[in-house]
Amino acid sequence: MPLDRIDRQILELLQNDGRMTNVELAERVGLTAPPCLRRVRALEEQGAIRGYHAELDPATLGYPITVFALVSLRSQAEADLAAFEHHVAKIPEIRECHMLNGEIDFILKIVAIDLKAFQEILTTHLTPAPNVASVKTSLTIRTAKSVPGIPVPQGD
């Protein structure tokens, strides 16, 4: 999708502050409010903007534990991959699920209220899931960088 300088500015500004008003956004990119809103709507319709959300602090809200789980499946047939994805989609503590290329089939990001709760997720929902061959987990000690979104190139 071809994006001009103003579109890229709009994307970067909204990615950094999705609560910014259209008037403030228009001012920052050098437009009046109506054409700025039309551009935002066009970016939404084209799929460049998929949605808006608040970034929540897990620890403040009672989820101080973050674990990454590397999952290997017995079968990589498309139906088995889709079944696993459907299974983990129903577990609210699993916040991300990415299919990988290589030895490991999926990496999951899991949050938990404590280690006992994580162990329960692991032993009752994850390891006994159909087609799961192995699960290797790593507990996060600290997060040095967590930047939502993507880098928006500014170009011409």
Side-chain angles (χ1 to χ4, degrees):
M1 132 184 5
L3 300 173
D4 67 12
R5 179 184 55 79
I6 293 174
D7 289 334
R8 290 190 297 268
Q9 285 180 311
I10 288 170
L11 291 171
E12 183 173 31
L13 289 166
L14 286 177
Q15 181 173 248
N16 291 334
D17 181 5
R19 293 188 65 183
M20 182 179 298
T21 67
N22 183 59
V23 171
E24 183 182 352
L25 180 62
E27 187 177 292
R28 302 262 311 262
V29 300
L31 294 174
T32 59
C36 183
L37 185 57
R38 282 193 295 274
R39 281 178 178 256
V40 170
R41 296 291 182 247
L43 290 165
E44 291 170 348
E45 289 170 11
Q46 295 168 357
I49 299 174
R50 294 192 304 195
Y52 301 88
H53 69 276
E55 184 177 349
L56 307 180
D57 181 69
T60 299
L61 296 169
Y63 290 90
I65 305 296
T66 300
V67 179
F68 289 92
L70 305 174
V71 180
S72 296
L73 302 180
R74 290 184 190 90
S75 163
Q76 288 73 34
E78 186 56 39
D80 294 323
L81 296 170
F84 179 77
E85 290 168 345
H86 181 72
H87 175 76
V88 299
K90 295 184 282 184
I91 304 168
E93 293 85 359
I94 298 178
R95 304 309 298 170
E96 295 180 28
C97 173
H98 304 274
M99 189 167 80
L100 303 177
N101 176 20
E103 272 180 58
I104 303 299
D105 295 306
F106 289 93
I107 186 168
L108 309 176
K109 179 180 177 183
I110 305 167
V111 296
I113 59 173
D114 57 27
L115 288 174
K116 182 178 178 188
F118 166 69
Q119 181 181 0
E120 185 171 324
I121 294 163
L122 183 66
T123 59
T124 63
H125 297 296
L126 204 50
T127 53
N131 197 34
V132 170
S134 70
V135 178
K136 296 177 183 174
T137 62
S138 291
L139 178 67
T140 300
I141 303 296
R142 73 172 163 236
T143 300
K145 182 177 182 180
S146 177
V147 181
I150 61 166
V152 179
Q154 288 305 310
D156 37 331

